[in-house]
Amino acid sequence: MNRTKLIFNGMSEIVGSDGMAVILLTDEGEKRAISVVCDKAMKYQIAFRKAEHYDTSKYLPEVLMAVMGDVNKQNCYEINIHSIVDGEYMTTLIDLDSLNIYQIRLSDAILFSLIANIPIYIENSLMNKQSIAYNSGSERMAIPINTLDTEKLKEELNKAIETENYRLAALIKDELNNRTQKTDLQ
């Protein structure tokens, strides 16, 4: 399996949203990046972990890590992003000792990675499709439309039509149609 290791590179609030944020993950060389949309609750959870003065030792993720054992020393877990379906990155947490695989939401996996120093990998073909060139000085981040859930896409379609951005509206409509066709085939 050809894959790229990803590193948490930061998080920015989405202007005009109800507290949603974009998490930026880059390759180790900081040449390419993928963006991950997260909700308000996850934005706060990650922000707590990045703030050095905030004690999270009694929070559920940290307590679960203590119950599971010291994964930092065992180095027996990894996170893999392997596809994208209906706007959601399909992500697994793998126990390398038992080979048990657990489905996990990518934003939760990122939080888990930050807490336990678990590496995150993405398949190269998906990285090539979803990533953009990384520019550390940029104040803007691109979010691929195929990473937005269907409801958010419908909202963005309406906004694009209202602002007469018909090129964007056509792209969003194509993505919605692709999702409908995939559902019909199943």
Side-chain angles (χ1 to χ4, degrees), residues 110-123:
I110 293 167
L111 177 64
F112 207 45
S113 173
L114 291 172
I115 292 167
N117 199 27
I118 297 173
I120 301 174
Y121 298 97
I122 187 170
E123 291 193 16

Side-chain angles (χ1 to χ4, degrees), residues 91-133:
T91 307
T92 54
L93 173 67
I94 301 172
D95 180 332
L96 299 173
D97 288 338
S98 68
L99 298 181
N100 288 332
I101 298 173
Y102 308 94
Q103 300 293 322
I104 186 169
R105 191 173 66 156
L106 180 53
S107 57
D108 290 310
I110 293 167
L111 177 64
F112 207 45
S113 173
L114 291 172
I115 292 167
N117 199 27
I118 297 173
I120 301 174
Y121 298 97
I122 187 170
E123 291 193 16
N124 283 347
S125 60
L126 187 59
M127 181 69 170
N128 292 338
K129 179 181 176 187
Q130 294 298 120
S131 68
I132 58 168

Side-chain angles (χ1 to χ4, degrees), residues 42-57:
M42 188 55 62
K43 177 185 79 169
Y44 286 118
Q45 291 299 316
I46 291 171
F48 292 153
R49 274 53 180 211
K50 297 312 282 178
E52 293 179 23
H53 64 278
Y54 203 85
D55 179 19
T56 59
S57 64

